Amino acid sequence: MQRAQFSLAIFAAVAALTLSGCGEEKKPEPVVAAPPPPPPPAPMVVKLGHVGPLTGGIAHLGKDNENGALLAVDEANAKGLKLGGKTVKLELVAEDDQEDAKVGTTVAQKLVDAKVAGVVGHLNSGVTIPASSIYNQAGIPMISGSATNPQLTEQGFKMVFRVVGRDDQQGPAIASYLASEVKPKTVAVIDDATAYGEGLANEVEKTLKAAGVKVLPREKGTNKTADFKAILTKLKGKKPDAVFYGGMDATGGPLMKQGRELGIKAVFAFGDGACTDKMKELAGDAAEGLLCSQAGLPVQAANKKFLDAYRAKFKIEPILYAPFTYDAANLLIESMKKADSPDPAKYLPELARISHEGASGKIEFDEKGDRKDAEMTIFTMKGGKIEPIAIIKSGKTTKFEDFIKAAEPPAPAAPAAPAAEAPKAAAEPAKAAEPAKK
């Protein structure tokens, strides 16, 4: 009996323990964090090339060109760019052609090997022309913001464009201005033996002769000449009323300074390559009063958005061609956007027919790749600064200040004055006029 009772007690205790265990609360399952989302795919890098002289006598102009292209690339990246559904990061690949044709073709091939999608450059015609053949053969569009020799776009290359005018437009512009405003009887013409300098001088000479001006036999230097005294001494004896030099500011400045030192009182005139404030630095006070031309609108006429952005980014003023290289880079970018592709074969048709409002005005290309109806600007050196004095467009010359006024947007109309309230009626109606007595 006792054994049975003991067994029952053990059974009851075990049952109680079992029931007690069943009543315990379950611990919550540990929370497992969701795996982090995969990182976004790396943007597709699209390379644009820029080439210009970054060393040597006109490195300041080459850097100015590079700055313009870089500003356009940085702005596009800041806004965000997608092509073919992919996020794109633009990268500017800058090369130095040293103002040398052999170096220019070498770096052109380097850009082709780097698989750039387009090229802004080169600066000098004598470098741009041989380099353009390499880009065209590789099927890569190239836009120059400064090369003005007509031969560049007379080669029949479908990949070659420029956003400035040609020397056969610029030469006649400065020559016609000389003939009509200075009225020289005799003009001396000198060039630096480059494709740019000689080509421009040829156009000036041709236009002056057509206007009945006597042109002395051509004199030549090089793009490295520092001493022009032998040439200038010979010219002094012939007493020219004007001297035109086809070349860049690095040689044009010393030429003008030495001319004044020899007592030559002629008006000195230049093309766009020597149409810079650096002429004051190189020629000193002798630079005052020079005349020069540019195959496009002056920096001062570039749109405010560009000028403000350039100054903010680089903390300096643009010199000469930066608005044009800025436009050239943007033309490549806009064409890619229109084609939704960085593939040159796909965006080239869009580039050829584009109509773009840029820093330098409206840009459209003709069938050769030249800018349609490009403006020409005439400048003078005044108070140590190059200042525009006239714009020539479609054969018509307009004073610069008048051109700017005409280009300004019309002022917003003043708000209309509120309509005057009608006078209150008199308390009593006026009596009708009595009929006239007979």
Side-chain angles (χ1 to χ4, degrees), residues 154 214 223 236 238 258 264 277 299 314 353 376:
E154 292 293 336
K214 180 182 177 182
N223 62 348
K236 181 181 177 182
K238 298 178 181 179
Q258 292 162 26
I264 295 177
D277 288 341
V299 168
F314 302 110
R353 60 174 170 257
M376 302 291 133

Side-chain angles (χ1 to χ4, degrees), residues 4 45 62 77 87 168 185 223 238 248 256 269 274 370-371 414:
V45 175
N77 283 333
T87 300
D168 51 5
K185 293 180 180 178
N223 62 348
K238 298 178 181 179
M248 307 299 286
M256 190 170 185
D370 285 318
R371 183 172 181 161

Side-chain angles (χ1 to χ4, degrees), residues 291-306:
L291 293 174
C292 58
S293 59
Q294 181 178 316
L297 288 176
V299 168
Q300 296 93 321
N303 67 27
K304 186 175 184 299
K305 173 181 172 290
F306 163 78

Side-chain angles (χ1 to χ4, degrees), residues 12-333:
V14 171
L17 286 171
T18 302
L19 290 171
S20 171
C22 290
E24 284 184 341
E25 292 184 6
K26 291 185 179 180
K27 292 182 179 179
E29 293 286 334
V31 177
V32 179
M44 176 173 63
V45 175
V46 173
K47 297 177 182 178
L48 295 181
H50 174 271
V51 197
L54 301 177
T55 53
I58 58 169
H60 56 293
L61 297 179
K63 191 62 180 177
D64 186 48
N65 280 18
E66 183 187 306
N67 286 348
L70 179 60
L71 178 59
V73 166
D74 285 353
E75 287 180 346
N77 283 333
K79 291 176 183 175
L81 178 61
K82 281 195 172 185
L83 297 174
K86 295 180 180 179
T87 300
V88 170
K89 180 184 178 183
L90 296 171
E91 178 184 322
L92 189 72
V93 183
E95 295 289 347
D96 178 9
D97 64 20
Q98 300 174 34
E99 195 189 350
D100 182 278
K102 289 183 179 178
V103 178
T105 54
T106 299
V107 296
Q109 187 60 53
K110 186 176 178 182
L111 290 178
V112 170
D113 295 342
K115 299 188 182 335
V116 297
V119 176
V120 177
H122 300 220
L123 189 156
N124 309 84
S125 294
V127 184
T128 311
I129 292 168
S132 67
S133 177
I134 293 172
Y135 300 127
N136 191 71
Q137 189 172 15
I140 297 173
M142 180 214 80
I143 308 178
S144 176
S146 50
T148 53
N149 189 293
Q151 186 186 340
L152 176 63
T153 48
E154 292 293 336
Q155 302 174 97
F157 293 160
K158 296 300 182 186
M159 298 290 164
V160 175
F161 303 83
R162 66 174 132 211
V163 288
V164 289
R166 297 162 44 128
D167 287 337
D168 51 5
Q169 298 167 317
Q170 181 186 184
I174 183 64
S176 296
Y177 191 86
L178 268 175
S180 62
E181 300 299 322
V182 178
K183 297 180 172 57
K185 293 180 180 178
T186 305
V187 176
V189 178
I190 310 170
D191 71 66
D192 67 355
T194 66
Y196 160 72
E198 184 176 12
L200 181 59
N202 289 344
E203 296 296 336
V204 168
E205 181 174 331
K206 188 191 309 180
T207 305
L208 288 172
K209 286 181 174 178
V213 178
K214 180 182 177 182
V215 178
L216 298 173
R218 180 75 59 89
E219 300 291 342
K220 283 186 175 290
T222 74
N223 62 348
K224 300 292 189 294
T225 300
D227 187 351
F228 288 92
K229 288 181 180 175
I231 292 173
L232 292 166
T233 299
K234 182 176 19 172
L235 291 178
K236 181 181 177 182
K238 298 178 181 179
K239 298 181 179 179
D241 303 302
V243 175
F244 179 83
Y245 176 64
M248 307 299 286
D249 57 9
T251 48
L255 168 76
M256 190 170 185
K257 183 178 183 181
Q258 292 162 26
R260 293 292 187 234
E261 288 170 350
L262 288 171
I264 295 177
K265 301 193 181 299
V267 172
F268 278 76
F270 306 85
D272 53 330
C275 205
T276 71
D277 288 341
K278 197 170 181 69
M279 290 292 285
K280 167 67 176 177
E281 177 187 328
L282 295 168
D285 292 340
E288 196 74 6
L290 69 81
L291 293 174
C292 58
S293 59
Q294 181 178 316
L297 288 176
V299 168
Q300 296 93 321
N303 67 27
K304 186 175 184 299
K305 173 181 172 290
F306 163 78
L307 291 173
D308 289 347
Y310 189 101
R311 291 163 181 155
K313 183 172 181 64
F314 302 110
K315 314 304 179 191
I316 53 174
E317 292 290 326
I319 302 172
L320 183 60
Y321 302 120
F324 300 98
T325 52
Y326 173 81
D327 284 346
N330 273 321
L331 285 163
L332 292 171
I333 295 166

